[in-house]
Amino acid sequence: MTSDPLLALRPWETPEVTSWGRLPMNAVDRRSGAHSLDGDWRFQLLPAPDAPVGGAWSSSYVPGVWTMQSIPGTDDLPQYTNVRMPFAEFPPRSPAANPTGVYERTVDVPAEWAGRRIVLQVGAAESVLLVHVDGRPVGVSKDSHLAAEFDLSEVVRPGARATVRLTVVKWSDASHIEDQDQWWHGGISRSVLLYATDPLHLADVTVRASRDGELRVDCRVRDAGGALPAGWYVSGELDGHLLTQDGEFDRANAEDERVSAFLGEARLRATIPEVRTWNAETPELYGLTVRLHRPDGTVADTSYHRIGFRDVEVSGRDLLVNGERVYIRGVNRHDFHPLTGRTVSHDDLRADLVLLKRFGFNAIRTAHYPNYPALYDLADELGFYVVDEADIESHDHAHEIADDPRYLNAFVDRVSRMVLRDKNHPSVIIWSLGNESDYGANHDAAAGWTRRHDRTRPIQYEGAAKLDWAATDDASDIACPMYAPIEDCVAHALSGRQTRPLIQCEYSHAMGNSNGTLAEHWAAIESTPGLQGGFIWEFWDHGILQRVSDGRPAGRAGAGLYEGGVAAPGHRWAYGGDFGETIHDGAFIADGVVFPDRTPKPALYEHREIAAPVRLECFRHEGVVIGNHQHFRGLDWLSADWELALADGGTLTAPAELPDLRPGETAAVPVPFTLPPDGGEAWLTLRVTTARDEPWAPRGTVVCLPQVRLRAPAPASSTVAPDRGVEVDGDGLLVHPLLTAAPTLSLWRAPTDNDELGHMALRWRSWGLDRLVRKVVDVRRAHGRVTVLAEYAAEVGVVRHVQVLTPVEGGLRVEESAELPDGLDDVARVGSVFETVAGLDLMEWYGQGPWESYPDRAFGAPVGHHRVPVDTLFTPYLRPQESGGRHGVRHFTLSAPDATGLTVTLDEPRQVSVTRHRAEDLTAVGHHDELVRRAGCVVHIDAAHRGLGTASCGPDTSPSHLVAPGVHRWSWTLRVL
Ligand code: IPT
């Protein structure tokens, strides 16, 4: 039996114990003026929490999880599981083998802190924290993503040295409610601070600021010395204007002095005339300083807050911000970094939010725990609506835990601590009770506390509302399903039964090459009252930078060893299973809209356009209609240029004058170009950029590229040149000086994550589409033209492929048809694939681009003339898969620096890809470092290409983007430059 009372409590298997000796959570920011205890700490990793400390000390960097630091003598590495727990024990038990980190360092307590209250703050520790100072027990805390504070006034001596020991137990009863879909780590992931206050101090400050300018500030004052002395008072200052104590409240309190002195409450009240309100478009903030005064007027304590005046309410089936039904263009975001796992800097957080702003997002769900404190400051400043989510996910044992009274404390503790910390942020508009934890009495308890404590914000919880979206008596004010088919959402909104807003807490799963049908979702949302948006799953691909040589995380030494989404040679982005774990969920951890180094994936351009604040409505007579699609502001923060992209010419540009439009208004403006008479296709784009520097974008940053077609293409023609002949080999395969592999039929793509997890790839393999063998049946020559009939035998029937090769002026026309038997009722593509000689390293095309696009993800890729090096056409999704496609290509050129090469003209806009990899190259490997680039180009021209959908978690593509059986025809003309 241990003599240490903290160990004797065995807090790692006692869910009722959520803390011991921990101070209440509050919203007073103590970061400035604090002493940082970050840096190297002495460190030992024990095999279990009750194992003796006594081995050799190494060192660990704080803040940081030990699983990412490759500390000599330790071998506890990251492990990824989604739903299932990484160990077999049932709640509240944890495994006997339970890595426990002991962190120790000496601290010089400043002599000038004599007589002050001294507080230790541990920013975050997972999953159980035990604190000792000079061997004396100080406290215990759980709740891995919120800070824990301990009063050390009685255990340290100012002017002396103290030894602080932080023991962090990795697995516990709390792990069962922190079963989020992410890497498991152990350690101290956020900063450790030591600070001092006057014994008489501000214990908490609660600010309510509404859109009508009413300001209410409630202060809690405490005295470490015991009862509050008489005569103290608070004052406030809002951007230079003094606020004074609420006299009426003081009078009421004076009548019962005992109550007043014990509770130590004070209030400030003010009405701000002509207040500038806060919203995500114009995030107006005011600086509020609250001061606590001693009777002689000197200042005992200060608390600074940046506040915003705004209202949030649910009214019927609308969520209103300042009375406006705003669209929620959200993303789910974890705290993640490829070198540290969980520890991020202020600059990292700012970079995340700046990028989201640039791609049209206005909302963040802090999936699935309270994020770093600075995230909320940045959301206030840059303008985001935040759904703040408590650290509760009991996914694997959800049903048992939701009603287990042993976990009741933990649920209320976690939700209330989040609310107490974040209540003053204007950005936080909704509290979330957690994720994927079924629904039980423990949720209702947490919701009850929250509703009483903060009447100014709605609550949401997916698990409560999912039983019945139309219910009115559960713990959720919003129906917030995940991955619901958009048809179901529309049907609900049209059913007449809808009782509350419908905002999906997760939708459009971004795993690999994904986010198909995003535009269809938003077309439905914007045309259906009752639907208000959702949060894409998710922001990050959580790939950890790993050294290939020893399989360890690169850690902080890996800084700079990646670029443009790709890991440097000798490194790779690790996903589940790459650290030798036997229990894991593979690449499901790589499901974000950015790569692990924050490089945007092409899907973000799709989102940017869907979220466009300015849109071109339609084309009438000689004008186009411009619309302002924002909620709160005009267009004066934007500037714009017109671009006219002519299929048979170049691109013309002209400056554009944006009309003065209020939200929701439209105006017709003239087109500043006269179309050339020669008839080709013409597209008009409004290139909208920031007119001046914004906090999230320098002047000139592209905001959106809305587009309308001014003229349809004229029918193409080419003259047959029968004298030249076409050369084919004995198998009827085209012989051409620039092709190293002749065009053959392709019905296969390297399965995307959606194809694999949605089980389409399984069917394709069972049909043999990944290994079709071509058999030439007939080759006929007539008038210089060659007709080749080939057959490809699948398991469900034979595909007949006819290729007619005709010499034309300057080149060769290829007319093809493929007849798919009925059994092939859902294939990835029907088209041609061929390979070129090396050296054709530049692709230029007229079509959609410049970024990657697919049939169901092509809204944000404008038609124009594009030019991209072949090596960068490919998108390096973490697990290699189909990528690099360009939708709606009309013609393209592949050329060498000396301008030699080839050009292809298509019969109609087609899906085309040009990469260095054949589908089978991509299918064969699990990581990019295993891929070998081909020297030439692998070119696909598709008559039909299946949509991407989001079937790795959620709906597949829509039926209109499936490839049907039957006859497909396409043709293209190949010319040598
Ligand atoms: C849902 C989870 O909430 C989220 O954390 C993540 O796992 C996502 O799915 C998929 O990546 S839960 C799922 C079982 C619907």
Side-chain angles (χ1 to χ4, degrees), residues 82 181 368 395 435-436 482-483 506 509 537 588 591 953:
N82 174 14
D181 177 12
H368 297 303
H395 215 147
N435 185 57
E436 288 286 353
M482 41 174 71
Y483 312 107
E506 295 175 20
H509 197 244
W537 185 267
F588 208 61
D591 53 0
C953 185

Side-chain angles (χ1 to χ4, degrees), residues 33-44:
H35 282 216
S36 168
L37 299 187
D38 289 350
D40 289 317
W41 287 53
R42 290 189 292 282
F43 181 78
Q44 284 187 34

Side-chain angles (χ1 to χ4, degrees), residues 511-515 752 754 852 854 857 877 881-883 948:
M511 185 179 187
N513 192 357
S514 186
N515 304 99
T752 63
N754 290 327
E852 180 191 272
Y854 282 83
R857 204 189 68 213
Y877 297 111
Q881 54 195 277
E882 161 65 31
S883 91
L948 299 167

Side-chain angles (χ1 to χ4, degrees), residues 117 198-203 221-229 232 261-262 264:
R117 170 179 164 264
D198 198 275
L200 184 67
H201 62 278
L202 288 165
V221 182
R222 291 288 179 267
D223 184 18
L228 285 169
W232 56 269
F262 173 69

